[in-house]
Amino acid sequence: MSEQPRIPYQYIAIEGNIGAGKTTLCNKLLEHYNCRLILEQFADNPFLPFFYENPERYAFPVELFFMTERQKQLQETLGQGSLFEDFIVADYFFIKTLLFARNNLNTEEYRLFQRLFHILNATFPKPDLLVFLHRPVGVLLENIKIRGRSYEQEITAEYLQNIQNTYYEYFRSEGSIPILVIDVERLDFLRDESHFKMITEALGKPYKPGIHHVSFVNSQG
């Protein structure tokens, strides 16, 4: 196991579209660093399978469940410090709650949801670094198919593109934290240690607030 660069951040949120590899990267970071891990328990959402079958009917309960579960998890975890852990890494940022809701809810539902979100969000610190794993929509669809969750198989390219657009719209308006967009289209950081080290080297650099892009697509022969 090769030595990985030091991570200079206390709280990192790993984001990305559905099928981008967020949880996979978080687990790899756990293997190589003595960090605290926050993983979203999306499978516990009882409305999720119904949402993909009937989005208009189940969008509000699915988003409300996600929001309350994320709020509970973050509140429990971020409030517990440890001298034996270097940093916290999460496979989501709480703002994800609002971004997906904006994409999935109608106007009236979103207006109500937004009020609830801001009340809960006021209690959380923002991450020191927000990382977004970018993959083309076609690759996301392939990954979704490969991992084989039955309720995800009807996800469309249009839906994924809308989610992607919503994230980038948010990035352009968020100027208070550094946002690192990593193009991982040609990276297999799960199986290739050199690819994983490319990412940790990127995470080991200091970034000012705003958007920063890193691409490794030309580094492969």
Side-chain angles (χ1 to χ4, degrees):
M1 183 181 297
S2 62
E3 184 177 349
Q4 301 298 331
R6 179 182 174 276
I7 304 297
Y9 303 98
Q10 289 297 309
Y11 175 25
I12 300 175
I14 307 293
E15 268 294 354
N17 211 327
I18 302 168
K22 303 179 292 295
T23 305
T24 299
L25 178 56
C26 286
N27 282 317
K28 286 285 292 184
L29 291 170
L30 177 64
E31 290 178 12
H32 289 265
Y33 297 96
N34 187 27
C35 61
R36 176 175 294 176
L37 198 59
I38 304 176
L39 298 181
E40 181 166 25
Q41 306 301 315
F42 59 88
D44 294 340
N45 192 326
F47 302 102
L48 193 56
F50 302 108
F51 165 73
Y52 286 122
E53 294 178 1
N54 192 339
E56 291 186 4
R57 179 177 179 183
Y58 290 100
F60 192 80
V62 82
E63 297 300 343
L64 189 62
F65 188 92
F66 272 135
M67 179 167 65
T68 54
E69 287 298 298
R70 289 167 183 155
Q71 189 268 344
K72 178 182 177 182
Q73 186 181 38
L74 290 174
Q75 192 171 49
E76 291 175 349
T77 307
L78 294 179
Q80 299 175 358
S82 173
L83 296 175
F84 302 101
E85 292 161 335
D86 290 332
F87 61 94
I88 294 173
V89 60
D91 69 349
Y92 66 93
F93 178 23
F94 195 57
I95 193 69
K96 173 182 185 175
T97 305
L98 195 61
L99 301 184
F100 271 74
R102 182 188 304 171
N103 193 68
N104 294 333
L105 302 181
N106 64 43
T107 303
E108 291 302 317
E109 289 175 334
Y110 180 69
R111 185 176 293 121
L112 173 59
F113 190 92
Q114 191 175 29
R115 292 173 60 186
L116 296 173
F117 170 84
H118 286 304
I119 292 172
L120 298 178
N121 189 47
T123 63
F124 298 131
K126 290 183 177 180
D128 300 310
L129 178 66
L130 174 58
V131 178
F132 185 84
L133 303 180
H134 174 84
R135 294 187 191 273
V137 168
V139 176
L140 297 173
L141 287 171
E142 290 177 11
N143 291 347
I144 290 169
K145 184 177 181 180
I146 290 171
R147 72 184 180 188
R149 295 171 188 159
S150 58
Y151 54 84
E152 290 182 342
Q153 298 310 304
E154 299 303 316
I155 294 178
T156 65
E158 180 183 12
Y159 180 79
L160 293 175
Q161 189 62 59
N162 287 338
I163 293 295
Q164 200 115 293
N165 294 343
T166 302
Y167 270 108
Y168 283 113
E169 181 181 344
Y170 164 70
F171 295 160
R172 288 190 290 271
S173 67
E174 175 56 78
S176 65
I177 60 174
I179 300 171
L180 181 62
V181 179
I182 304 179
D183 187 338
V184 292
E185 178 181 0
R186 298 188 185 179
L187 296 191
D188 185 358
F189 50 77
L190 175 61
R191 299 173 183 85
D192 192 318
E193 191 66 19
S194 66
H195 290 184
F196 176 64
K197 190 169 184 179
M198 291 178 190
I199 292 179
T200 58
E201 287 177 348
L203 298 184
K205 297 177 181 179
Y207 299 97
K208 295 180 179 180
I211 305 175
H212 307 267
H213 294 270
V214 175
S215 176
F216 304 111
V217 294
N218 294 324
S219 65
Q220 309 304 303

